[in-house]
Amino acid sequence: MKQLILSLALAASFLCCNSVAAKDIAQPGSFKVGNKTFLLNDKPFVVKAAEVHYPRIPREYWDQRIKMCKALGMNTLCIYVFWNFHEPQMDNFLFTGQNDVAAFCRLAQKNGMYVIVRPGPYACAEWEMGGLPWWLLKKKDIRLREQDPFFMERAEKFETKLAEQLRDLTIQKGGPIIMVQVENEYGSYGEDKPYMSAMRDIIRKAWQAPDLTLFQCDWSSNFTKNGLDDLTWTMNFGTGANIDNEFKKLGELRPNSPKMCSEFWSGWFDKWGGRHETRGAEAMVDGIAQMLERGISFSLYMTHGGTSWGHWAGANSPGFAPDVTSYDYDAPINEAGQVTDKFWKLRKAMEKYSGDWDPNTGKWVSPQQGGRKRGLPAVPKEYPTIAIPKFELKEFAPLAAGTDSIAKMGGLMTFEEMDFGWGSMIYITSLPEIPVQSILQLDAHDYAQVFIDNQFIGKVDRVKHEQTLKLPATKKGQQLIILVEGMGRINFGRAIKDFKGIVSAPVITAEVDGIATSWTPRQWTKCRIQDDYASAVKALNNPSAAFLHLTPLSIREGQGGESGYYRGYFNLKKTGDTFLNLENWGKGQVYVNGHAIGRHWYIGPQQTLYVPGCWLKKGQNEVIVLDVMGPRGERTIEGLQKPIIDRLNLDRPQTHRLEGQTLDLSGEKPVLEGEFKSGNGWQEVKFPQPVSGRYVCIEALNSHNNREYCCIAEWYMLGADGTRLSREPWQVAYCDDEDITSGNKTADKIFDLQESTYWSTNRGVQFPHHLIIDLGQDQTFTGIQYLPRVEAGAPESIRQYRIYVKSSLFKGL
Ligand code: GLA
């Protein structure tokens, strides 16, 4: 009997405390890595974290969003700290108001939530430059995320300033912070343990907390590349993933390590010009239930996504795919903090796991045994939404009125050289006499509109890989004016070193009297236009300061207005959240009562911008639209009660098969044919001998399990030395079939660096399928690497295949 009582007592002491009450975390405590489990105050603990980003939520709403996460059954909040948000100019550190990360952590604690901090210095997160400050690029040759002395010195300074804010909030000191991450997914950037070690040391030193648990997150396919012996390793993967596979390697290398999915992606982000992304609720609930059944910790990315206000949205690469303003992410708590169908389904499932995890039995037991109440907290109230009747933006100032700095003549300069991060630049040069039509070669980041003597000639859009434009015959002395708008800096992959403006000297070429002739203008006037509220107000208060009036496309088409600043007002009797409909407008930024609420672009899929009611007021409210293209129709806006984030408005289809194209492979000889294995994971095949060419055609003859369609998650070509070739210049030259019905499964997903996204053909469309990659130039290769979908059973993976390589495009295209 005595023994029984003892073992009951022991078992009870080993039950973990997953249902957290506010009082539990006010006392100094501990969070450690135990045997196959995390230990919170020496008891097993399963982290159920909600990823939320405080900069993406108005401070006034932090509390409601935290309570929403708690109502989902989460016990922890997982936050990135974006360096550029806290140090927008070098040595100007911001930690108050919206930037008060310590206040956010304290609020979390008040609500009975723990906090995991991810201080970078790099984050990714579809945030401008992945969280790195643009001013690092003022050192032109900087090596970002490497042991470049300037990068390391600045990163250390930031990490130290941040730790000064947070180091008293660790669990060891009675605060809510249980873990801190070092860097972010370094495996998809490079292989550099010395750099990772140096960053770990910087963070450890800054936090002055020897007992603080530090961890790394990566993918199961690459975490060993940079895994440090003394840090905890966690894996990132999305819904549908085979959970056992994801942790297999970790289990082999560290059999006693607790398991955690540090980013469980149950939605995805949207890009301008791409379809709105969604992911099913069932797969999310199933994945989380599977993890909790095994006592695996997780962070749900995103539980609430929020909004990338102002110019904070980043861009993806390879290529250039700027992210939209909304970071709704198809998350269970939507952009406006409202519950969704996904929310209710998840809450229901999480209820089952609201008790305590007993690692001895592998079961969740009712918390009542530990004296706590069962069930989840009540769902907090949502903020009310309002509609705002259509109003007109009558005041106008031309774009050039927003110029705050001019560099006369001399060579080209980027934004960074003109010492600013965000906005537009106007470049002006004098043209020579060119009696015939010519071609302008222009490498502009990111959206350039070209004018001759103020008349719109055409645009060069980096998103579409455009770099040339036809110019009409010109007279000597005519002015070539190039207006370049910068969008978000790339946040993923090697391309994060993303300068803005004209990045290499434009060249004009023409054939004059049968002779190929070229001109490289050397003397440029450069005008800086910052996209901030102060510049907009200054321009509107003095529109006559504009030294040029550009006539954009919309006016030439007889429907819109000039590019510039438009201001209007609306009156409110009561405030509430609203969604401003920008469908009449071109492309630019919007400010409401001085708050930069984000980018708009008519191409969609996002057409409305979320405005939280806490930034509105009773009486008169001000709206300014900075439109670099000019409005396309009426200069009006209305506020809707529901968002429109899924309406594309494209002049070309997103698919890669042009009308009339039918690939003809007759007479072509494959350089390789074979059969891929079934199952998950990377496969590598070597060619019998090296081959050269620019176009690589992948032919899928059928798929495993006799599926009606096929998919590829990632694809690499191996170079002469057997290593992966850079995919930066890659484009899809052709693809016979792409599924664009549900989110983002187009052919370019095979080289988007994301293992969790993939190309898919449509169900029932007959094999064979063909996808042709344009590598940009002739290259020599020795093999390929192929990754099927990461989901269990590798659904729709290709079985028999052939590969063709050519230097010129295939017949029929
Ligand atoms: C990775 C990054 C995140 C985010 C997601 C995609 O996992 O670590 O910051 O960019 O991809 O949303």
Side-chain angles (χ1 to χ4, degrees):
M1 185 61 186
K2 210 167 145 195
Q3 216 173 359
L4 180 70
I5 294 171
L6 192 70
S7 53
L8 275 176
L10 264 179
S13 77
F14 247 84
L15 292 180
C16 73
C17 38
N18 280 284
S19 23
V20 185
K23 63 174 171 41
D24 289 350
I25 51 176
Q27 298 298 320
S30 65
F31 184 86
K32 294 182 206 144
V33 173
N35 187 7
K36 295 191 180 154
T37 178
F38 291 112
L39 295 171
L40 177 78
N41 300 327
D42 297 320
K43 296 201 178 121
F45 183 73
V46 176
V47 179
K48 293 179 276 184
E51 178 93 21
V52 288
H53 300 151
Y54 60 93
R56 286 182 155 131
I57 307 166
R59 180 170 178 161
E60 295 85 337
Y61 287 1
W62 284 353
D63 191 57
Q64 188 259 4
R65 305 299 200 257
I66 293 173
K67 289 191 162 76
M68 276 280 181
C69 295
K70 200 169 157 83
L72 266 177
M74 305 296 186
N75 55 22
T76 303
L77 296 166
C78 190
I79 58 169
Y80 275 124
V81 182
F82 302 125
W83 177 3
N84 52 13
F85 187 66
H86 292 280
E87 196 184 354
Q89 294 101 23
M90 192 155 110
D91 285 322
N92 175 19
F93 293 95
L94 304 179
F95 286 109
T96 56
Q98 181 70 47
N99 299 49
D100 195 342
V101 56
F104 182 86
C105 294
R106 281 194 293 268
L107 193 58
Q109 179 164 28
K110 202 170 144 210
N111 280 291
M113 298 283 261
Y114 294 101
V115 177
I116 294 174
V117 179
R118 311 207 285 160
Y122 163 82
C124 195
E126 293 66 69
W127 190 263
E128 152 86 10
M129 210 169 154
L132 302 180
W134 69 267
W135 47 259
L136 290 172
L137 300 179
K138 290 209 274 185
K139 179 175 184 276
K140 251 186 152 166
D141 61 353
I142 193 167
R143 289 174 294 119
L144 301 168
R145 302 178 73 194
E146 286 181 40
Q147 291 200 65
D148 176 287
F150 181 57
F151 182 80
M152 296 305 279
E153 179 201 313
R154 295 311 314 181
E156 172 152 22
K157 187 143 193 199
F158 164 67
E159 295 297 347
T160 308
K161 289 278 176 198
L162 172 67
E164 282 167 12
Q165 298 288 319
L166 297 183
R167 64 167 82 101
D168 288 339
L169 294 172
T170 60
I171 185 161
Q172 290 82 3
K173 297 202 171 152
I177 299 172
I178 52 176
M179 284 209 281
V180 173
Q181 185 180 306
V182 178
E183 252 282 351
N184 189 71
E185 289 192 340
Y186 201 80
S188 46
Y189 188 71
E191 191 163 347
D192 193 346
K193 281 193 188 175
Y195 163 78
M196 283 300 294
S197 309
M199 209 40 88
R200 171 205 56 205
D201 294 346
I202 284 176
I203 290 177
R204 200 164 262 163
K205 186 168 152 218
W207 284 71
Q208 301 172 1
D211 297 334
L212 188 61
T213 300
L214 300 185
F215 73 104
Q216 288 171 271
C217 82
D218 257 305
W219 304 342
S220 59
S221 59
N222 63 18
F223 73 97
T224 51
K225 290 207 278 183
N226 299 291
L228 302 185
D229 289 345
D230 55 347
L231 297 192
T232 300
W233 297 339
T234 64
M235 305 296 134
N236 293 352
F237 51 85
T239 55
N242 180 326
I243 312 274
D244 293 330
N245 269 358
E246 295 292 335
F247 289 107
K248 197 164 157 241
K249 187 104 195 185
L250 176 70
E252 285 162 16
L253 296 173
R254 289 188 174 176
N256 296 327
S257 171
K259 294 180 178 137
M260 174 161 183
C261 173
S262 34
E263 286 183 27
F264 184 61
W265 307 303
S266 73
W268 207 243
F269 52 90
D270 288 341
K271 285 151 277 183
W272 291 112
R275 227 159 241 272
H276 173 52
E277 294 264 352
T278 56
R279 300 278 196 274
E282 285 70 22
M284 171 187 71
V285 170
D286 180 55
I288 286 184
Q290 280 194 50
M291 287 192 272
L292 290 177
E293 285 300 330
R294 296 163 171 79
I296 297 175
S297 293
F298 68 85
S299 177
L300 179 63
Y301 195 103
M302 297 296 299
T303 301
H304 167 61
T307 311
S308 306
W309 315 107
H311 40 235
W312 289 121
N316 263 273
S317 89
F320 180 70
D323 301 306
V324 302
T325 300
S326 169
Y327 203 59
D328 179 86
Y329 217 85
D330 195 32
I333 304 161
N334 72 13
E335 183 180 8
Q338 298 162 332
V339 297
T340 60
D341 174 49
K342 267 181 155 172
F343 179 96
W344 292 117
K345 290 193 166 126
L346 184 58
R347 181 173 150 97
K348 190 157 172 253
M350 291 286 284
E351 199 135 30
K352 200 171 146 199
Y353 307 100
S354 64
D356 292 334
W357 165 251
D358 180 353
N360 297 321
T361 59
K363 292 218 157 48
W364 288 82
V365 292
S366 163
Q368 269 161 3
Q369 291 172 12
R372 271 184 290 270
K373 276 217 296 223
R374 196 186 174 81
L376 301 179
V379 177
K381 269 204 188 130
E382 294 173 0
Y383 286 100
T385 55
I386 56 167
I388 300 168
K390 196 159 129 182
F391 58 97
E392 202 179 339
L393 283 74
K394 292 187 185 140
E395 291 174 42
F396 170 70
L399 195 62
T403 300
D404 71 343
S405 165
I406 299 184
K408 287 237 165 80
M409 306 316 280
L412 285 158
M413 286 166 100
T414 60
F415 285 21
E416 294 77 13
E417 286 166 324
M418 287 287 281
D419 200 18
F420 79 126
W422 305 285
S424 297
M425 255 171 84
I426 299 176
Y427 296 83
I428 307 171
T429 193
S430 266
L431 284 165
E433 167 104 27
I434 308 176
V436 292
Q437 214 181 45
S438 63
I439 301 286
L440 170 68
Q441 180 80 37
L442 178 60
D443 192 358
H445 292 180
D446 301 297
Y447 188 87
Q449 298 176 77
V450 177
F451 303 82
I452 292 182
D453 289 345
N454 298 347
Q455 293 298 311
F456 180 83
I457 302 295
K459 52 107 185 135
V460 172
D461 180 358
R462 186 179 175 201
V463 173
K464 294 185 174 162
H465 299 270
E466 292 168 348
Q467 291 205 334
T468 55
L469 186 71
K470 274 192 193 138
L471 300 183
T474 55
K475 298 234 161 49
K476 189 172 163 55
Q478 276 194 303
Q479 280 198 322
L480 175 69
I481 302 167
I482 306 176
L483 163 61
V484 183
E485 186 211 18
M487 300 197 68
R489 286 188 179 74
I490 290 175
N491 57 263
F492 191 53
R494 283 274 155 191
I496 53 175
K497 198 170 169 186
D498 186 11
F499 296 94
K500 296 299 181 189
I502 298 183
V503 294
S504 59
V507 180
I508 304 169
T509 51
E511 207 173 286
V512 183
D513 300 329
I515 301 167
T517 317
S518 74
W519 298 263
T520 308
R522 300 276 173 218
Q523 295 297 320
W524 293 87
T525 295
K526 290 122 340 222
C527 314
R528 172 175 96 164
I529 303 167
Q530 311 219 41
D531 74 1
D532 55 27
Y533 178 66
S535 307
V537 170
K538 206 174 113 208
L540 282 157
N541 289 345
N542 189 13
S544 56
F547 53 90
L548 52 86
H549 285 259
L550 302 173
T551 306
L553 179 67
S554 51
I555 293 193
R556 300 234 355 221
E557 287 177 347
Q559 45 174 346
E562 203 179 311
S563 42
Y565 305 88
Y566 291 79
R567 178 156 57 186
Y569 304 89
F570 59 90
N571 282 295
L572 290 181
K573 288 212 178 71
K574 77 173 190 339
T575 61
D577 289 2
T578 194
F579 301 90
L580 294 185
N581 189 351
L582 273 293
E583 279 176 295
N584 289 340
W585 299 81
K587 181 177 196 313
Q589 289 277 351
V590 178
Y591 310 94
V592 175
N593 295 334
H595 294 273
I597 63 163
R599 288 202 177 87
H600 66 99
W601 192 355
Y602 76 93
I603 62 172
Q606 177 173 11
Q607 300 293 351
T608 57
L609 289 175
Y610 172 54
V611 182
C614 57
W615 291 349
L616 297 177
K617 52 190 186 208
K618 282 187 192 158
Q620 182 174 277
N621 292 268
E622 178 202 61
V623 178
I624 297 176
V625 177
L626 158 55
D627 197 326
V628 296
M629 292 176 84
R632 296 155 16 92
E634 279 183 358
R635 300 163 185 192
T636 58
I637 291 183
E638 67 181 317
L640 308 180
Q641 279 182 286
K642 293 244 174 296
I644 306 172
I645 51 173
D646 57 357
R647 188 173 294 167
L648 271 179
N649 194 353
L650 297 180
D651 48 9
R652 268 204 247 165
Q654 288 166 282
T655 46
H656 296 89
R657 181 181 190 164
L658 303 180
E659 229 174 83
Q661 280 185 328
T662 307
L663 178 66
D664 178 3
L665 289 176
S666 59
E668 305 288 354
K669 226 174 114 323
V671 295
L672 184 73
E673 53 189 315
E675 204 169 309
F676 288 123
K677 293 188 288 264
S678 66
N680 298 109
W682 283 96
Q683 301 186 35
E684 182 173 304
V685 189
K686 287 274 164 62
F687 294 154
Q689 67 249 344
V691 278
S692 296
R694 168 171 172 172
Y695 297 93
V696 176
C697 173
I698 307 164
E699 181 175 47
L701 297 171
N702 45 42
S703 63
H704 283 285
N705 313 331
N706 298 321
R707 299 280 188 159
E708 297 178 283
Y709 59 121
C710 69
C711 302
I712 298 178
E714 288 292 305
W715 189 275
Y716 277 96
M717 300 301 297
L718 302 176
D721 61 356
T723 62
R724 292 171 170 185
L725 290 174
S726 160
R727 303 186 297 181
E728 281 307 318
W730 287 21
Q731 289 189 59
V732 176
Y734 171 81
C735 184
D736 75 301
D737 190 47
E738 291 158 275
D739 176 356
I740 54 163
T741 55
S742 58
N744 200 327
K745 297 178 185 166
T746 45
D748 45 319
K749 297 294 160 296
I750 73 165
F751 52 81
D752 71 345
L753 266 173
Q754 285 286 354
E755 295 186 355
S756 60
T757 58
Y758 53 88
W759 162 54
S760 172
T761 62
N762 288 287
R763 223 169 255 271
V765 175
Q766 277 200 345
F767 283 93
H769 290 298
H770 298 103
L771 192 164
I772 301 180
I773 310 165
D774 175 2
L775 309 184
Q777 61 182 49
D778 269 353
Q779 287 188 304
T780 301
F781 4 87
T782 53
I784 55 140
Q785 283 179 344
Y786 154 69
L787 181 75
R789 283 171 65 181
V790 295
E791 291 90 328
E796 300 83 44
S797 66
I798 295 170
R799 193 159 74 85
Q800 290 169 293
Y801 65 87
R802 295 191 192 119
I803 312 279
Y804 303 84
V805 174
K806 282 186 76 162
S807 284
S808 56
L809 211 45
F810 290 82
K811 277 181 288 187
L813 307 184

